[in-house]
Amino acid sequence: MSEPFAKKLELTLKVLSMSRARLAADLGVDKSVVGRWVSGAVQPSAHNLSLLSGLIAERIAGFTAHDWDRSLASFAELIGADLETVSGRSGANAMLGLPLVGMEQFLAATSLRGPTYEGFYRSTRPYILSPGRFVHDYCMVSLDPNGLLRTRVGAGGTLADGWLLPAGNQLYAVTVDVISGAILFGIFHGVATAKAEVIDGLVLAPSLDVGRTPAAYPMIFERVGDLTGDAEADNRHFLELASGNPVAPEGSIPEEIRRYLNPDVGPAAAALGGELLFLLPLTRSLARGPAYRENPPGGK
C-alpha cells in the first residue's frame, strides 16, 4: 500500500461513525485486533482485508479492496473524509495531537488500561454559584481511533469535549467547553481493577459567573452504564443523559458525600489538626472497581 493502512482505516472509522468494537463485532474478530490495525502494529490478513472491504462497500458505494492502494488524499476524497483532517491542519486534528512530551506513555497506558474506563458516568460536584448545593454532570468515556480515551461531559445544555490521559494510577483530564472555549483540567485517582465503578479527583475550571472566576473542587464519577459498541447509539444516549436539569434535588446527596465534597481546609482547620491546603490523598479516595462477590448476582 502506497500510504499507511492504519491512517486510512482511522479515517474510515471516523467517516462511518463506527467504533473499533462495532467493526470487530461485524468482522468477527477481537477488538484488540482492530486496535492493532488502527495503531499500525499489524495489517489485516488477505482474508480479513477482503471482509473489511466488503463491509465498507455496503456503506460507501463502489468501494473495493483495490482502493486501499490509493494515496491518502485520494482515499480520503473517495470516502468523503475532510482533506484538512488528512493534512493535519484542522483544529480537531491539532487537539488529537496534544503536543505533550509524554504522549507515547499515555498511548501505551491507554492501550493497556483504556477499556477499564470506557462507559457512562454520573458526576457529583459542588455547585459553585450556590454554596451547599450540588450538580450532576454526565460523562461518556470511549476509546478514540487515535488511541486516546475521549471524554465528553455534559450538563444542562453545556458540553465539554477532550481527553483522559492515564499515567501510573492516575488520570489526567483536559477538556474544552465547546460553547465558551474554556479549558477544564482534572486529576483523578484510577483503579487497579479490570473495570472502574467510581473515580474521584480534583478539577480546575472557570465558574459561570461574569468574571469566569477560576475554581478548584473535588468531583466524583460513578458508572451508570456501559457502551454498546454502536457509536451513534452511545452518542444519542449520552446527549439524552446530559440534557436534564443538572442541579441535585435538596437532600438527595448523602451526608458523607456532602462532607467529602465540601472539606474544611485553611488556617483555621490546620490549627485544629486539619489541612491547610486542598488535598485529596489516596487514603481518602473513593475510587474503586466492582464490588467483589463470592457468588454472582442470582447465584446460590
Side-chain angles (χ1 to χ4, degrees), residues 162-175:
W163 309 104
L164 201 59
L165 309 172
N169 197 44
Q170 291 182 314
L171 300 162
Y172 295 84
V174 182
T175 64

Side-chain angles (χ1 to χ4, degrees), residues 6-295:
K7 184 63 178 178
K8 295 172 185 174
L9 179 56
E10 178 185 343
L11 288 173
T12 303
L13 290 174
K14 290 180 179 178
V15 168
L16 299 180
S17 298
M18 180 180 289
S19 68
R20 298 183 190 184
R22 174 64 182 273
L23 177 61
D26 288 350
L27 294 177
V29 300
D30 191 86
K31 186 169 71 171
S32 63
V33 173
V34 175
R36 290 195 290 272
W37 293 348
V38 174
S39 69
V42 297
Q43 291 194 9
S45 65
H47 175 67
N48 281 333
L49 185 63
S50 177
L51 292 177
L52 174 61
S53 300
L55 184 66
I56 296 172
E58 294 175 3
R59 295 163 172 79
I60 299 177
F63 187 92
T64 73
H66 296 295
D67 290 316
W68 296 108
D69 293 323
R70 290 172 177 259
S71 69
L72 189 57
S74 174
F75 184 89
E77 184 176 5
L78 172 70
I79 66 174
D82 185 356
L83 292 179
E84 285 279 306
T85 301
V86 176
S87 66
R89 292 190 295 270
S90 72
N93 201 63
M95 188 62 184
L96 297 182
L98 283 175
L100 301 173
V101 173
M103 185 53 64
E104 290 187 3
Q105 171 190 346
F106 295 134
L107 287 168
T110 302
S111 177
L112 180 65
R113 301 290 296 153
T116 296
Y117 301 102
E118 286 191 291
F120 297 99
Y121 297 83
R122 188 186 76 161
S123 83
T124 306
R125 60 180 172 87
Y127 188 6
I128 302 300
L129 300 184
S130 183
R133 300 293 301 275
F134 298 87
V135 168
H136 294 306
D137 311 274
Y138 283 91
C139 174
M140 182 173 74
V141 178
S142 59
L143 279 169
D144 192 82
N146 69 355
L148 296 177
L149 278 172
R150 183 182 181 190
T151 180
R152 303 180 71 197
V153 183
T158 65
L159 177 64
D161 199 341
W163 309 104
L164 201 59
L165 309 172
N169 197 44
Q170 291 182 314
L171 300 162
Y172 295 84
V174 182
T175 64
V176 176
D177 186 316
V178 299
I179 297 176
S180 70
I183 302 177
L184 301 83
F185 303 94
I187 303 178
F188 298 91
H189 291 297
V191 300
T193 55
K195 186 175 184 179
E197 288 294 328
V198 178
I199 60 175
D200 62 351
L202 300 179
V203 171
L204 177 64
S207 303
L208 296 179
D209 58 7
V210 175
R212 304 295 285 178
T213 304
Y217 47 85
M219 199 168 187
I220 302 171
F221 283 98
E222 300 172 88
R223 180 183 292 272
V224 294
D226 298 327
L227 301 182
T228 65
D230 184 326
E232 292 185 10
D234 286 338
N235 185 59
R236 286 195 301 270
H237 182 52
F238 163 70
L239 294 176
E240 289 171 1
L241 290 173
S243 65
N245 182 357
V247 181
E250 288 274 15
S252 64
I253 306 300
E255 182 58 31
E256 61 271 22
I257 299 299
R258 295 174 64 91
R259 291 196 301 268
Y260 179 81
L261 294 174
N262 285 324
D264 187 10
V265 299
L272 297 175
E275 294 175 343
L276 177 64
L277 302 177
F278 202 172
L279 304 174
L280 183 55
L282 183 60
T283 52
R284 289 209 303 267
S285 173
L286 301 178
R288 60 174 174 80
Y292 174 75
R293 296 183 179 91
E294 284 290 341
N295 296 311

